[in-house]
Amino acid sequence: MSQFVVGLTGGIGSGKSTVADLFVELGAGLVDTDAIARELTLADGAAMPALTAEFGPGILAADGALDRAAMRQLAFADPSARSRLEGILHPLIRHLSAERCQAATEPYVILAVPLLVESGTYRERCDRIVVVDCPESLQIQRVMSRNGLSADEVRAIMAAQATRQQRLAVADDVVVNDADRTNIYGQVKALHSNYLTLLAGKLKAGC
């Protein structure tokens, strides 16, 4: 595995992708579990046979990929459906993300995990946890604008995730994303410098 792994998380609409992109601009590697989940649920994705067997053809889009909107409605309507979905996807995502962290050649890797707090096992794989934080009202506003969802739909998604307080409780570092890109760039740059320093210390100690 890469010598230094930084777990990156945050609630929906917090700006995780923007922060991850800034770390990459500064030279970090990126392993994004959301991107891996999308790969697994393409028409020829490794998870599709198991998902189709579990949930039936109603979850398929016209091209044979997972219909994410249909699956989301099913999962939020039926808690057992959500746990069954996670039971199929999460082991595959954990396996692929571990492989990709190990194969990374950058000085350190950002492991972006939206459900890092909820998933439990990712914490032990990370040297640091950075949480992207913003007021919940701003999360709702951003997701409504980006995804065309209603405020109630966004709140339902947020209710299924860890609370803001739970995420902040596990954070080693916090990026506050309630302003513009310039504001968060300064925060990310400072963290990048700190992670390189921590990596150097880890290497020197022979860890």
Side-chain angles (χ1 to χ4, degrees), residues 31-171:
V31 175
D32 184 342
T33 60
D34 254 2
I36 292 172
R38 285 191 290 273
E39 289 175 32
L40 291 169
T41 53
L42 292 172
D44 59 351
M48 291 311 297
L51 290 175
T52 306
E54 181 66 37
F55 297 107
I59 62 162
L60 298 177
D63 64 355
L66 179 68
D67 183 333
R68 294 171 75 86
M71 190 70 242
R72 185 165 55 239
Q73 286 183 338
L74 179 62
F76 282 110
D78 177 2
S80 74
R82 183 164 174 249
S83 64
R84 281 147 48 210
L85 171 69
E86 291 173 350
I88 293 168
L89 282 180
H90 285 187
L92 293 169
I93 293 169
R94 279 193 289 270
H95 176 73
L96 280 174
S97 63
E99 278 189 349
R100 293 178 187 185
C101 284
Q102 188 169 0
T105 57
E106 295 85 358
Y108 69 92
V109 177
I110 296 292
L111 177 59
V113 187
L115 300 181
L116 185 147
V117 176
E118 299 87 335
S119 298
T121 59
Y122 284 98
R123 181 65 183 93
E124 63 207 36
R125 291 168 49 184
C126 300
D127 294 276
R128 302 285 287 187
I129 299 291
V130 57
V131 169
V132 185
D133 183 54
C134 71
E136 292 178 355
S137 58
L138 191 52
Q139 286 180 255
I140 295 169
Q141 178 185 322
R142 285 172 177 163
V143 179
M144 288 175 66
S145 174
R146 180 184 72 195
N147 294 8
L149 300 177
S150 70
D152 284 345
E153 287 173 315
V154 181
R155 288 191 188 97
I157 293 170
M158 291 170 63
Q161 298 183 344
T163 65
R164 185 181 183 187
Q165 292 72 25
Q166 286 170 326
R167 281 190 296 271
L168 291 173
V170 305

Side-chain angles (χ1 to χ4, degrees), residues 17 37 121 127 185 199 202:
S17 296
T121 59
D127 294 276
Y185 179 76
L199 168 62
K202 186 177 181 180

Side-chain angles (χ1 to χ4, degrees), residues 19 23 130-134 173-177 184 187-188 191:
V19 171
F23 274 112
V130 57
V131 169
V132 185
D133 183 54
C134 71
D173 305 296
V174 177
V175 173
V176 179
N177 184 20
I184 58 172
Q187 298 177 68
V188 171
L191 288 174

